[in-house]
């Protein structure tokens, strides 16, 4: 095998192989970045969901306290009222 034939084989077979390897490494790096971004997105969604849950829980507690206080005030008002029944006519 002479040098010209050997260089043609390397050029014809080696270049596509080298290009394929390069593209595989680039795709792998891209896929790793996608996975990292996806994990970060899931983490942010989880944090936001927890924050929303805590806000709703706080609002529910405030509503319960408000209506409990309001109910006891209404009960006090009602207990102070005297209801008189007149005989039927």
């Amino acid at each position: 095998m002479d040098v010209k034939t050997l260089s043609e084989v390397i050029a014809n077979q080696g270049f596509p192989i080298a290009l394929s390897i390069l593209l595989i490494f680039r795709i792998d790096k891209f896929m790793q970045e996608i996975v990292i971004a996806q994990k970060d997105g899931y983490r942010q969604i989880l944090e936001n969901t927890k924050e929303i849950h805590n806000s709703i829980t706080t609002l529910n507690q405030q509503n319960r306290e408000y209506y409990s206080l309001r109910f006891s005030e209404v009960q006090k008002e009602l207990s102070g009222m005297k209801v008189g029944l007149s005989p039927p006519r």
Side-chain angles (χ1 to χ4, degrees):
M1 193 181 264
D2 62 356
V3 175
K4 185 177 178 186
T5 307
L6 185 60
S7 64
E8 285 179 9
V9 169
I10 291 173
N12 291 334
Q13 300 298 320
F15 178 73
I17 292 171
L19 183 61
S20 298
I21 291 171
L22 174 69
L23 292 175
I24 288 172
F25 281 114
R26 289 190 65 183
I27 289 172
D28 182 58
K29 183 180 177 187
F30 180 70
M31 294 295 284
Q32 287 175 357
E33 291 173 1
I34 288 175
V35 169
I36 290 169
Q38 187 178 22
K39 286 181 181 178
D40 187 46
Y42 286 150
R43 183 187 52 77
Q44 289 177 359
I45 289 171
L46 184 61
E47 287 176 5
N48 291 341
T49 304
K50 285 180 182 178
E51 184 177 331
I52 291 169
H53 174 72
N54 291 338
S55 298
I56 290 172
T57 303
T58 302
L59 287 173
N60 285 338
Q61 181 65 32
Q62 290 172 349
N63 283 339
R64 279 194 293 273
E65 291 170 359
Y66 171 77
Y67 286 112
S68 175
L69 179 63
R70 185 71 183 130
F71 180 72
S72 62
E73 289 174 357
V74 169
Q75 274 185 321
K76 286 178 186 175
E77 279 185 42
L78 290 175
S79 67
M81 290 184 173
K82 293 184 180 178
V83 178
L85 297 174
S86 59
R89 296 183 197 180

